[in-house]
Amino acid sequence: MQGVALITGATSGFGAASARQLASQGWPLIICGRRQERLDKLAAELSPSTPVLALQMDVRDALAVSRAIDELPAAFADIQLLVNNAGLALAPGPAQQADLSDWHTMIDTNITGLVNVTHAVLPRLIAWGAGASVINIGSTASGNPYPGSHVYGASKAFVQQFSFNLRCDLQGTGVRVTDLSPGIAETEFSLVRNAGNESAADAVYRDTVPLSADDVAEQVAYIAALPAHMNINRLEIVPVRQAWGPYAIHRDAVEQEQTA
């Protein structure tokens, strides 16, 4: 018996790619997002091969999320897989230059939204039992600070720790939890982060070979298809060209004179 996969943030990037990958494996899908026209287009693309429910939903609205899950049609009620993908980064500059509203948007989406959806779907996953999975899309930013990451990196650190703690609480239920943390990947992510500035977004990927949305989606499908007795706690994937950098050391003329 094949359960249903629910994917948040399915209108683009990792979410849309995961929907395509899971559909190719026969998963019935609930694809969620705020942009109805994109959901409808993706549903039309995938529905010939698998049942698809396009569910317009803002993960930041706890009541709307709870209502949407409670009112799922019977054909989509048995959720076996939750892919918490909805998230974003804003304000790529220094923290002291960021708008507070951008911080709140990241917290509301990356943290509160993930919590809202997980809380609403968890009873259905537990009812499914062995073989059910939660895949939370984290980031290498959760443990690797860098300039401009401020609230984004902190929000992904929450995702990692929430995943680990959820795994502890679900011990004995059969429900698995994975923090899937990609590194640099070429999607709409940087376009959103740079407020629609295409040249700034393109510069992030210039002269390198980043991950693609399909690369990440393949890992989602791999985790979901694992035997029921196996759990990957955390899977970090990066392109070969991305590695750790040295500590940043600020130097100026005064310091150079003092050390001369």
Side-chain angles (χ1 to χ4, degrees):
M1 180 179 176
Q2 180 72 72
V4 174
L6 187 152
I7 306 169
T8 66
T11 55
S12 65
F14 301 156
S18 294
R20 293 186 178 97
Q21 185 70 239
L22 292 171
S24 72
Q25 296 186 354
W27 285 84
L29 298 173
I30 303 171
I31 53 174
C32 306
R34 290 181 297 143
R35 293 173 286 187
Q36 186 69 56
E37 68 284 357
R38 288 201 178 191
L39 292 175
D40 291 341
K41 183 178 180 180
L42 182 60
E45 173 191 336
L46 301 178
S47 57
S49 60
T50 193
V52 181
L53 174 64
L55 192 60
Q56 186 177 32
M57 186 172 72
D58 186 341
V59 298
R60 299 173 297 180
D61 186 337
L63 289 177
V65 169
S66 179
R67 187 180 303 115
I69 300 304
D70 287 344
E71 296 175 355
L72 286 173
F76 293 92
D78 295 327
I79 300 175
Q80 182 184 355
L81 171 63
L82 169 60
V83 181
N84 274 317
N85 168 70
L88 78 169
L90 299 170
Q96 61 271 27
Q97 297 175 9
D99 289 339
L100 182 59
S101 62
D102 285 340
W103 282 7
H104 284 169
T105 299
M106 286 186 280
I107 292 168
D108 292 344
T109 306
N110 301 356
I111 297 178
T112 305
L114 180 143
V115 167
N116 289 341
V117 176
T118 303
H119 190 268
V121 175
L122 208 51
R124 295 174 185 264
L125 295 169
I126 293 172
W128 183 276
S133 299
V134 179
I135 301 176
N136 293 325
I137 304 300
S139 170
T140 55
S142 65
N144 297 285
Y146 60 87
S149 184
H150 40 80
V151 168
Y152 174 71
S155 71
K156 290 304 183 178
F158 174 90
V159 172
Q160 177 179 314
Q161 195 61 30
F162 180 69
S163 300
F164 291 171
N165 289 332
L166 189 61
R167 169 110 165 81
C168 292
D169 288 341
L170 292 173
Q171 179 78 344
T173 67
V175 181
R176 303 167 301 180
V177 184
T178 299
D179 169 30
L180 174 56
S181 293
I184 184 173
E186 188 168 5
T187 65
E188 290 183 5
F189 175 88
S190 286
L191 188 63
V192 172
R193 189 172 205 178
N194 288 280
N197 185 328
E198 293 187 8
S199 61
D202 291 343
V204 175
Y205 311 112
R206 187 174 298 131
D207 300 326
T208 192
V209 183
L211 299 174
S212 69
D214 288 337
D215 292 332
V216 176
E218 287 173 2
Q219 301 309 309
V220 169
Y222 166 71
I223 295 167
L226 286 171
H229 71 283
M230 293 180 62
N231 190 97
I232 295 178
N233 295 328
R234 185 169 192 268
L235 179 58
E236 181 176 297
I237 55 171
V238 298
V240 171
R241 294 192 178 198
Q242 182 181 12
W244 303 277
Y247 280 113
I249 301 174
H250 176 72
R251 304 180 189 277
D252 58 29
V254 174
E255 290 175 338
Q256 290 173 6
E257 290 173 1
Q258 290 175 343
T259 57

